Amino acid sequence: MMGEGSGESEGEGPKGEGPGPEIVGVWPAAVWIIVGTGHYLNDPDHFAGWKGALYFVLGTGLVALVGGIASLSTRRTVAGIQERLLKEVRHRRDLTTWAIALGLRGLVGLGEAVLVTLLALSVVALLG
């Protein structure tokens, strides 16, 4: 029975299943740092003084917090939708459902990376 000791609320999929663990805040902050480092290596004077501190210290923290929460929410929503769709088509987990789940998570991760990169590029342009 669902209510007796299963530890799952209605609408949530089983914990621990899927292609990999969820990393909160690290993924968006890593993209933010990589974009900033690329610009720093290209033009170190651009990040001199307060601009570098603002971008790397404050920006990384904000992106890790806000981006991590948004990323986690998006991934959980996509995982719930994916779980329902896969149950309609296939009634058990196998290699095909795992590959589909991995592909969907890859697409969500790519979308997050593009959004964070665009945000980082616009912040660099604003600081310039």
Side-chain angles (χ1 to χ4, degrees):
M1 286 188 191
M2 184 65 129
E4 293 182 68
S6 68
E8 297 174 20
S9 64
E10 191 173 316
E12 283 186 346
K15 302 285 185 210
E17 286 189 22
E22 295 183 30
I23 301 174
V24 181
V26 175
W27 172 247
V31 172
W32 179 269
I33 290 170
I34 289 169
V35 171
T37 303
H39 277 281
Y40 172 76
L41 293 174
N42 190 32
D43 184 16
D45 293 334
H46 186 75
F47 285 103
W50 64 272
K51 290 180 183 180
L54 184 69
Y55 182 87
F56 284 108
V57 176
L58 185 62
T60 301
L62 285 174
V63 168
L65 179 65
V66 176
I69 291 170
S71 172
L72 180 63
S73 175
T74 302
R75 287 172 191 250
R76 285 184 177 170
T77 301
V78 168
I81 293 168
Q82 160 193 318
E83 219 27 67
R84 287 187 191 117
L85 290 175
L86 289 176
K87 283 182 182 178
E88 292 291 323
V89 176
R90 298 172 95 57
H91 301 289
R92 67 188 192 298
R93 287 213 166 254
D94 57 3
L95 186 59
T96 304
T97 58
W98 181 83
I100 291 169
L102 185 63
L104 287 174
R105 286 185 76 150
L107 286 174
V108 170
L110 180 63
E112 292 170 356
V114 168
L115 289 174
V116 172
T117 300
L118 291 174
L119 177 65
L121 292 173
S122 64
V123 168
V124 167
L126 282 174
L127 290 175

